[in-house]
Amino acid sequence: MSFSIVTASWFRFSFPIGLILLIALGKDNVVSVISANQSISLNLPYVLFFACAIMGHVFKQSRCAMMATAMLISYWIIQNYLQSPLSTGTTLLELSLLAFALPGACLAIYIFKDNSVRSRSFVAYLAIVLALIIWSQLTLNYLSESGFNQNDYPLLYVEEKISRLPLVLLLYLSAIVLSCAILVLRYNRIVDAVVYSSILLSSATFAFFHVTYISSALFSLAGFLLLIYLLSASYELAFNDRLTGIPGRLALESDLKHLSRKYSIAMLDIDHFKSFNDTYGHDTGDDVLKLVASKLLEVRGGARVYRYGGEEFTVLFKGKYADEAWDYLDELRQSIEDYELVVRNMDARPKDNKQGQKKRGNQSKTKTVSLTISIGVADSYEERNTTAILKAADQALYKAKQSGRNCVVAAE
C-alpha cells in the first residue's frame, strides 16, 4: 500500500526530525516567507489545530483532539505573552514554565481512551490543562514576588551557545523526547506518534526560542503532522479489521493493484466454523478468529495476511509461486492443528468475585478443542489477472474442503 509508508514506525520517528533539519537548513528562507505573509503564517497554527480538533471529533480520536487543544493553547500563550525579549522581565521564566508544563499535558492523553470530543474524558483532560495553567501562574506569581533571580541557582545554568533555556530543562525535554521515540519505534501506535511529534517540535521551539518566527514555523509543522496522523487513523479504521487487528479486504484489494509478475495467493477457511460457533457461542467464535489471525501473523516467507470476510482469510506471497509458498502454508496449517484452544463455560462462571477466586485454578471443567483450516493456493505462473487467481485459489480451497479438510491444495 502506498499509504502504508506514512504508518511505518521509521517514518513516524524520522519524519519530524527531518522537518526540523529542513527548517534549520533553510532558516533564512523560512523567515523571509513568514515575514512576507505574516497574517497567514502567524494564524496558520490556530487553523490547523482547530481543524485537528474537529477531525478528532469526527473520527472519534479524542486524544488527537486533546493534543491539538494543548498545542493551540500553548501557541496562544506564546503569541500573547512571550513576544518580548527573553532578557527582559519574566519572559524567560514564563517560557521555562511553559516548556516544563506542556510535555506533561501531552503525556496526560495516555490516561484516556479515544472517544468523541463531547465525552467526559475530554472534559477531564481540559481540567488537567487548566490545572497546569493555574499551577504555572501561581508559580510565576510566587517567584516574581520573592525576587527570583536565575543567577542565584546553579542548577538553572544556561549555556547560551546551545540555548537560552536552562541546561537542566533541556535535559528534561530530551529525556521525554527520547522516551516517546522509543514508544513509537516499539509500538507504532497513533497516540505514540502524536505525542512524540508534538513534544519534539514544541521542545525544539523552546530550545531555539530566540530564532525569529520559530514558534510559527514549528507549531505549524506540528499541526500538519497531527492532520497526517488523523488521516492515518482513518486509514487504519477503513483498512484494518477491527476484530482481529489484521488488514481487511479493502487492504487486500489495494495491495493487489501493486503486484509484480511473480506472486501467489492463498485462501484459507476455518473448518466447521459455523457448527463451532453454534455450539460454543459467538464470543468463543470471535476468540477463534483472533487466534487464527495471530497465527497468520507468524507465517514466514514474507507473507502478507488479510481477513477476507467471515471465517475466511487470505495470504499473499510476493515474489513466490505456489510451490515456493507451500511449506509456509503447511506449517501454518500444522501450527493451528496443534494448538489447543481452551473453551470456558461462561454460563457456569461465578458472578461473585470471592467465589471466582475459590474456583480459580480448578481446571476440571475446562474444555479444550482443536481447530483445523483448509487452504487453497494459486499463483501467477500462467495467469496474471488477480481476480482470476483469487477465483482459482477459492476453487482450490473448495477442493481442500472436498478432500477431507485440514490440508493444502494448489490450483491446477
Side-chain angles (χ1 to χ4, degrees), residues 270 273 276 283-293 341 371:
I270 302 172
F273 182 75
F276 186 94
D283 289 338
T284 304
D286 288 346
D287 290 340
V288 169
L289 293 172
K290 292 176 184 177
L291 167 65
V292 173
L341 178 69
L371 304 170

Side-chain angles (χ1 to χ4, degrees), residues 280 340-346 348-349 359-369:
Y280 299 107
E340 292 187 345
L341 178 69
V342 177
V343 179
R344 294 177 177 85
N345 187 349
M346 301 302 292
R349 185 172 182 175
K359 290 189 175 183
R360 192 167 296 160
N362 181 12
Q363 302 296 324
S364 59
K365 293 186 178 180
T366 298
K367 182 177 181 179
T368 60
V369 296

Side-chain angles (χ1 to χ4, degrees), residues 144-365:
S144 299
E145 293 172 1
S146 61
F148 173 79
N149 187 344
Q150 183 175 320
N151 296 325
D152 296 336
Y153 297 86
L155 185 64
L156 301 180
Y157 169 75
V158 174
E159 179 55 65
E160 293 193 357
K161 292 182 180 179
I162 301 176
S163 171
R164 303 294 191 272
L165 282 181
L167 189 59
V168 66
L169 193 53
L170 290 178
L171 294 175
Y172 160 77
L173 294 173
S174 300
I176 293 179
V177 169
L178 180 60
S179 300
C180 294
I182 292 172
L183 290 177
V184 170
L185 293 173
R186 183 171 182 179
Y187 298 110
N188 193 27
R189 299 170 299 191
I190 291 291
V191 64
D192 298 323
V194 166
V195 172
Y196 164 69
S197 61
S198 297
I199 293 181
L200 175 63
L201 289 166
S202 60
S203 297
T205 300
F206 300 141
F208 305 105
F209 199 75
H210 56 282
V211 177
T212 308
Y213 297 124
I214 188 69
S215 61
S216 299
L218 294 188
F219 271 68
S220 294
L221 290 179
F224 277 120
L225 283 178
L226 273 177
L227 286 174
I228 290 174
Y229 295 140
L230 277 165
L231 292 174
S232 297
S234 65
Y235 165 85
E236 291 181 2
L237 287 173
F239 283 78
N240 282 5
D241 178 61
R242 301 193 69 175
L243 175 64
T244 60
I246 65 174
R249 189 164 178 172
L250 282 176
L252 172 64
E253 292 173 356
S254 177
D255 279 355
L256 291 178
K257 297 176 182 177
H258 304 91
L259 292 175
S260 59
R261 175 67 183 87
K262 185 179 180 181
Y263 62 91
S264 59
I265 300 174
M267 300 294 292
L268 67 93
D269 186 274
I270 302 172
D271 295 330
H272 304 295
F273 182 75
K274 185 180 184 303
S275 59
F276 186 94
N277 229 8
D278 293 339
T279 303
Y280 299 107
H282 292 287
D283 289 338
T284 304
D286 288 346
D287 290 340
V288 169
L289 293 172
K290 292 176 184 177
L291 167 65
V292 173
S294 66
K295 291 293 184 182
L296 280 167
L297 292 174
E298 298 174 1
V299 177
R300 298 180 299 117
R304 293 190 178 185
V305 299
Y306 314 84
R307 185 183 179 190
Y308 194 75
E311 69 272 23
E312 201 167 15
F313 296 83
T314 305
V315 185
L316 173 63
F317 290 92
K318 291 185 177 181
K320 287 182 173 63
Y321 288 133
D323 58 339
E324 298 171 295
W326 182 280
D327 289 341
Y328 302 119
L329 293 171
D330 196 57
E331 185 180 89
L332 166 66
R333 180 199 60 78
Q334 189 66 50
S335 68
I336 292 177
E337 182 185 11
D338 293 341
Y339 189 91
E340 292 187 345
L341 178 69
V342 177
V343 179
R344 294 177 177 85
N345 187 349
M346 301 302 292
D347 294 332
R349 185 172 182 175
K351 296 182 179 179
D352 184 78
N353 289 334
K354 292 182 179 179
Q355 293 180 16
Q357 289 176 357
K358 292 179 180 179
K359 290 189 175 183
R360 192 167 296 160
N362 181 12
Q363 302 296 324
S364 59
K365 293 186 178 180

Side-chain angles (χ1 to χ4, degrees), residues 21-40:
L21 292 176
L22 286 176
I23 293 292
L25 293 173
K27 182 180 66 175
D28 294 337
N29 293 329
V30 172
V31 170
S32 298
V33 171
I34 295 178
S35 180
N37 303 274
Q38 281 194 31
S39 59
I40 297 176

